[in-house]
Amino acid sequence: RLYASLEAFSADLSKICALIEEQCGAPPALYRFPGGSRTTLAPAWLREKLVEEVEGRGLTYFDWNAVSGDDTRTVYPAETLVENVLRDANGADVIVPLFHDFPVAKTTAEAAGLLIDRLRGAGYCFDVLTPEVEMRFP
């Protein structure tokens, strides 16, 4: 289990970093905690240690700030997922939506395309997320 201990997390992080470097030719610079940095799958004291582990390896972690709702047994229409993200983002300057890529998320790809169109229409631009981005989410 990933969040069973700091050692389990550290071993998993080492494996994924090595795999990314092997496949991409460079080590990762960014990390997103499964379940987010405030996951309830780990106690608060361990979450602090996990963040220290990630940052100690020179990685910058990011969370999402807008949830689509595509992770339920109910398959929502793509437009509903878009509306969920926009409502949750509440006009934030930087929006990092949470979408999933598992089988139940059947309308996610369509929703992502619609969301991009809507955000571009609202004046948002899209760029690469890098360690230099100032936006960090609680």
Side-chain angles (χ1 to χ4, degrees):
R1 205 181 103 188
L2 178 64
Y3 294 128
S5 66
L6 180 59
E7 293 75 21
F9 177 82
S10 183
D12 185 78
L13 184 60
S14 292
K15 286 180 190 174
I16 195 66
C17 287
L19 180 62
I20 290 170
E21 187 165 4
E22 175 188 311
Q23 295 296 312
C24 300
L30 304 177
Y31 185 76
R32 187 193 57 89
F33 287 93
S37 65
R38 301 175 96 187
T39 180
T40 57
L41 299 174
W45 68 267
L46 181 55
R47 287 193 305 262
E48 292 176 21
K49 298 290 185 192
L50 302 177
V51 167
E52 289 172 10
E53 177 72 15
V54 166
E55 290 179 335
R57 292 179 185 229
L59 297 167
T60 300
Y61 73 92
F62 286 91
D63 286 325
W64 57 88
N65 65 345
V67 177
S68 68
D70 68 347
D71 61 339
T72 67
R73 290 183 183 196
T74 301
V75 177
Y76 292 103
E79 187 59 39
T80 299
L81 301 180
V82 169
E83 291 303 323
N84 289 345
V85 169
L86 295 174
R87 182 185 62 248
D88 213 22
N90 197 28
D93 291 337
V94 175
I95 300 173
V96 179
L98 176 63
F99 286 110
H100 297 86
D101 65 349
F102 45 72
V104 72
K106 296 185 184 314
T107 58
T108 297
E110 180 186 356
L114 293 172
L115 180 63
I116 289 168
D117 291 343
R118 293 269 300 272
L119 290 173
R120 279 195 175 129
Y124 283 85
C125 61
F126 293 80
D127 205 348
V128 176
L129 189 60
T130 68
E132 292 74 36
V133 172
E134 293 290 327
M135 189 66 171
R136 299 293 294 273
F137 306 114

